[in-house]
Amino acid sequence: MASQRFARPIFDNPFLKIQELPGNTVKRNSESLKQANCDPKGTSLVVTRDVDLDTTKNTWLRLYVPRRLTKNPTPKKLPLIMYYHGGGFVYFHANTFIFDVFCQALAERVGAMVISLEYRLAPEHRLPAAYDDAMDGLEWLKTTKDEWVCNYADLSKVFLGGTSSGGNLAYNAGLRAAAMAKELEPIKIKGLILHHPFFSGKNRTESEEKQKDDQLLPLRAVDKMFDLCLPKGVDHDHEYCNPCANGGSKHLDDMKELGWKVFVSGACEDPLVDAARGCVRLMEEKGIKVFKFFRDGYHAMEVFDQSMAAALYDAAKDFVYAASRT
């Protein structure tokens, strides 16, 4: 096992003991899924509110707005980040405490409105269910008369972003959105924010081999969660797992033509970091402008430890405002 210079978070980690249950589900421990209530009154620096997306699918959205905007009678509209939480497509929710705190800080530190999607989880709902839910969210954004969206969001400056499996979701939803950009107007997507994206493949990368016994996200857990979330009967070189398989998606050309920019972050002690680097190379080969933010640390560290997050928020802010100007 490779040495690990960064202490991993201490919590009831579901990735270390994935337990399948009868009825096509898994055990989800409530202790590791501590939830945060929305805060529409704004007792913190960010106000939050939940809205239904599709009640038949139990999907919904949590909206985040910097409180200072709500006090301004003529607020300046902000870029909007559609955010997708992590958890290997199997665990966690939009209101899971660590992701709620992350989204609050993202809104405040980047200076953006953030909308976090509660999407359907696997194995009950295998991919592409989560991608479908993300597209439902964009359709909602396109047509909504929600007061916060109308008052605070600049729909000409939209970004799709997410952490871990949420980064995978942002990438794959982005491919779909790029292919139907005209149909999504007045939404104008400017780019993607892929925070430690959840990608892998059949062939082991150097970082997967080196960090296969990672104390937070061991390789056996990565493989198991892809087994649980991918369509039945496919291998780990399926496009939902390996973005580089078969030369990548044809819709990367659409992203390039639309002028999208992509921000990709990664950490040196993450077993998935080499897969993220491979995705960067693929996009650059396709002519897409990629902003890279790779540094020391472990998988999704900024979500688990806010003391490590300041540099990420600063880099994401620089990216969002640079990409918004183009």
Side-chain angles (χ1 to χ4, degrees), residues 40 70 99 106 210 271 302:
T70 67
F99 291 108
L106 194 64
K210 185 177 180 181
E302 296 92 351

Side-chain angles (χ1 to χ4, degrees), residues 34-45:
K34 182 180 177 184
Q35 296 179 347
N37 294 325
C38 62
D39 184 16
K41 300 292 185 182
T43 56
S44 63
L45 293 175

Side-chain angles (χ1 to χ4, degrees), residues 4 9 33 37 42 44 51 55 61 66 74 90 94 125 133 170-172 177 218 221 231 244 247-248 263 271 297 322:
Q4 297 183 341
L33 300 176
N37 294 325
S44 63
V51 298
T55 55
L61 303 159
T74 57
V90 176
H125 305 281
D133 296 341
Y171 179 82
N172 282 286
C244 299
F263 176 92

Side-chain angles (χ1 to χ4, degrees), residues 103-125:
C103 285
Q104 287 192 47
L106 194 64
E108 172 63 22
R109 294 291 300 269
V110 172
M113 182 174 180
V114 175
I115 299 180
S116 182
L117 170 70
E118 173 69 2
Y119 56 85
R120 290 171 292 170
L121 297 178
E124 297 90 338
H125 305 281

Side-chain angles (χ1 to χ4, degrees), residues 62 106 180 227 243 245 252:
R62 177 161 289 185
L106 194 64
M180 55 180 293
D227 288 343
L252 289 170

Side-chain angles (χ1 to χ4, degrees), residues 248-324:
S249 171
K250 65 182 181 181
H251 297 306
L252 289 170
D253 293 331
D254 296 323
M255 286 189 189
K256 178 183 182 296
E257 290 302 313
L258 291 164
W260 289 14
K261 311 295 190 296
V262 182
F263 176 92
V264 182
S265 65
C268 66
E269 290 185 9
D270 181 356
L272 304 183
V273 68
D274 284 348
R277 291 191 177 109
C279 186
V280 167
R281 288 192 294 271
L282 171 69
M283 290 187 288
E284 289 181 331
E285 289 167 2
K286 297 289 186 178
I288 296 169
K289 175 65 175 177
V290 181
F291 294 72
K292 299 176 283 287
F293 185 73
F294 288 81
R295 59 176 181 150
D296 289 345
Y298 58 87
H299 185 74
M301 61 189 182
E302 296 92 351
V303 169
F304 290 106
D305 186 350
Q306 281 292 302
S307 71
M308 304 178 79
L312 174 70
Y313 296 139
D314 289 344
K317 179 178 181 177
D318 290 345
F319 166 74
V320 165
Y321 281 87
S324 293

Side-chain angles (χ1 to χ4, degrees), residues 71-221:
K71 304 298 182 182
N72 189 334
T74 57
K76 179 183 177 182
K77 292 189 176 184
L78 298 178
L80 186 146
I81 300 171
M82 294 293 292
Y83 178 81
Y84 312 112
H85 68 81
F89 292 110
V90 176
Y91 298 102
F92 305 141
H93 298 279
N95 61 356
T96 297
F97 183 77
I98 54 173
F99 291 108
D100 181 73
V101 170
F102 185 79
C103 285
Q104 287 192 47
L106 194 64
E108 172 63 22
R109 294 291 300 269
V110 172
M113 182 174 180
V114 175
I115 299 180
S116 182
L117 170 70
E118 173 69 2
Y119 56 85
R120 290 171 292 170
L121 297 178
E124 297 90 338
H125 305 281
R126 290 175 176 264
L127 296 174
Y131 306 155
D132 295 341
D133 296 341
M135 299 311 295
D136 288 348
L138 291 176
E139 287 292 339
W140 175 88
L141 184 64
K142 170 185 171 180
T143 60
T144 187
K145 302 301 181 185
D146 181 88
E147 181 181 3
W148 284 13
V149 172
C150 292
N151 289 343
Y152 307 129
D154 185 342
L155 295 188
S156 71
K157 299 174 182 177
V158 174
F159 296 82
L160 309 185
T163 298
S164 190
S165 56
N168 175 309
L169 202 168
Y171 179 82
N172 282 286
L175 293 172
R176 291 191 186 187
M180 55 180 293
K182 286 290 185 183
E183 298 169 51
L184 288 173
E185 292 178 353
I187 295 171
K188 186 174 182 182
I189 296 171
K190 306 295 285 188
L192 308 178
I193 301 172
L194 311 183
H195 177 224
H196 299 197
F198 187 64
F199 296 133
S200 188
K202 284 175 62 177
N203 297 324
R204 303 279 70 136
T205 65
E206 182 179 344
S207 63
E208 286 176 332
E209 292 284 7
K210 185 177 180 181
Q211 300 292 340
K212 64 182 179 180
D213 295 318
D214 184 78
Q215 295 169 6
L216 173 67
L217 187 66
L219 190 56
R220 67 183 183 277

